[in-house]
Amino acid sequence: MGRVVFGAVAGRGGRRWVVGVVPWGVAAGAVAWCLVGSWRAARLENYPWNVWTPIGYGAVKGVFLGLLAGWCAVVVLRVVPVAWWRERGGVAVVRFAGLVLSGGLLGGLVPGTVRDFMGEPQPRTLYYFDGPRPESEWYWRPLLSEWLMCTVLPALGCAVLLAVGALVSVRSSRPERFGWAVPALVGVGLLFLPDWAASGAPEPVGNGDHVNESASAGLVVLATGLGLLVSAWVVWWRRRPRRPVGPASPGLTPPRSSPIPPRSVRGGG
């Protein structure tokens, strides 16, 4: 079974369905969780020196969760029997979008769900200054509200955007180009994100911890953006067209040396 799946996916027809899925997951995750961070930052009016930080941390969190969602989508495409991509037109496209959506939702939903239901009760959105709550005050409504707003909705949005991007790659004549173009665009966006997100926020005030927290968030965002740019460059470098190795023209080919005559001819005896 493993050889059949690998051979079909690695073949000319099946491989096309998985090219470009993971980069679109990175972009989709960055957008989805950045929006969650923006929503969270809008609720921190009483904490102005840190108001942009959830936006940056949300985007970085989305990059890694989107990467996980993209890989889960690829795994689902490889595990499911591969005869589906031989189907005609719209049936195969719908099946492909459903598989990518399922895998992406699984990858984006599981980590946050385990953290919310198995970890320590911690209201990250209800009250900023609250510490861990007792279990009697956390489970049911507060937990479900936290799980829905910060885990389910961004994971669903990431999966939908991932499926749309994967369909764009499938319909493209050169799907491999998205492997470096999409991460490069996300990396450039992260480089400008700290300045854009903090443009409408007050200057950092308070003690040193508050100022350092804002600065450390900016460094995390910039480091993630530079990492995406480097990875995009590596992918582009490995997939760039190679020039054939050999002489430039037949005229530059060195003449072949004449064969050495036999000893009997040279010496006469």
Side-chain angles (χ1 to χ4, degrees):
M1 178 63 181
R3 292 183 179 180
V4 175
V5 172
F6 178 79
V9 174
R12 185 176 181 181
R15 183 179 181 274
R16 184 180 186 85
W17 295 96
V18 298
V19 172
V21 173
V22 176
W24 282 111
V26 173
V31 171
W33 273 275
C34 183
L35 291 177
V36 174
S38 300
W39 173 81
R40 185 179 299 174
R43 299 167 58 88
L44 302 181
E45 297 177 357
N46 59 343
Y47 202 41
W49 51 79
N50 191 32
V51 72
W52 86 272
T53 305
I55 303 176
Y57 280 142
V60 172
K61 174 183 177 181
V63 167
F64 293 99
L65 288 179
L67 180 66
L68 177 61
W71 277 114
C72 286
V74 172
V75 170
V76 170
L77 289 173
R78 294 190 174 186
V79 170
V80 173
V82 296
W84 62 267
W85 58 262
R86 298 182 183 273
E87 298 173 352
R88 293 183 178 181
V91 177
V93 171
V94 172
R95 186 79 61 86
F96 168 74
L99 292 175
V100 173
L101 183 67
S102 302
L105 183 61
L106 180 67
L109 191 62
V110 169
T113 301
V114 173
R115 177 201 61 194
D116 289 336
F117 287 88
M118 303 297 294
E120 185 179 17
Q122 179 64 43
R124 294 175 298 279
T125 60
L126 300 178
Y127 304 97
Y128 193 86
F129 289 102
D130 272 6
R133 287 186 174 188
E135 293 184 358
S136 59
E137 299 180 10
W138 171 243
Y139 288 103
W140 297 109
R141 184 174 179 180
L143 173 60
L144 293 179
S145 175
E146 174 80 10
W147 178 67
L148 178 64
M149 294 301 300
C150 296
T151 301
V152 176
L153 291 182
L156 181 60
C158 175
V160 172
L161 294 176
L162 170 59
V164 173
L167 288 175
V168 172
S169 296
V170 169
R171 294 180 177 273
S172 174
S173 58
R174 294 178 57 190
E176 66 278 356
R177 64 183 175 181
F178 294 105
W180 64 267
V182 173
L185 289 177
V186 177
V188 172
L190 288 180
L191 294 183
F192 290 97
L193 180 63
D195 182 68
W196 171 81
S199 60
E203 292 294 328
V205 295
N207 57 32
D209 292 337
H210 299 147
V211 178
N212 292 337
E213 186 176 359
S214 181
S216 61
L219 291 177
V220 170
V221 174
L222 293 178
T224 305
L226 290 176
L228 287 176
L229 290 177
V230 171
S231 64
W233 179 83
V234 171
V235 173
W236 173 83
W237 178 264
R238 296 181 61 181
R239 294 181 178 178
R240 76 189 193 282
R242 306 279 183 171
R243 292 184 178 181
V245 179
S249 63
L252 298 179
T253 304
R256 185 183 302 174
S257 58
S258 59
I260 301 175
R263 182 177 180 182
S264 59
V265 177
R266 288 186 301 170

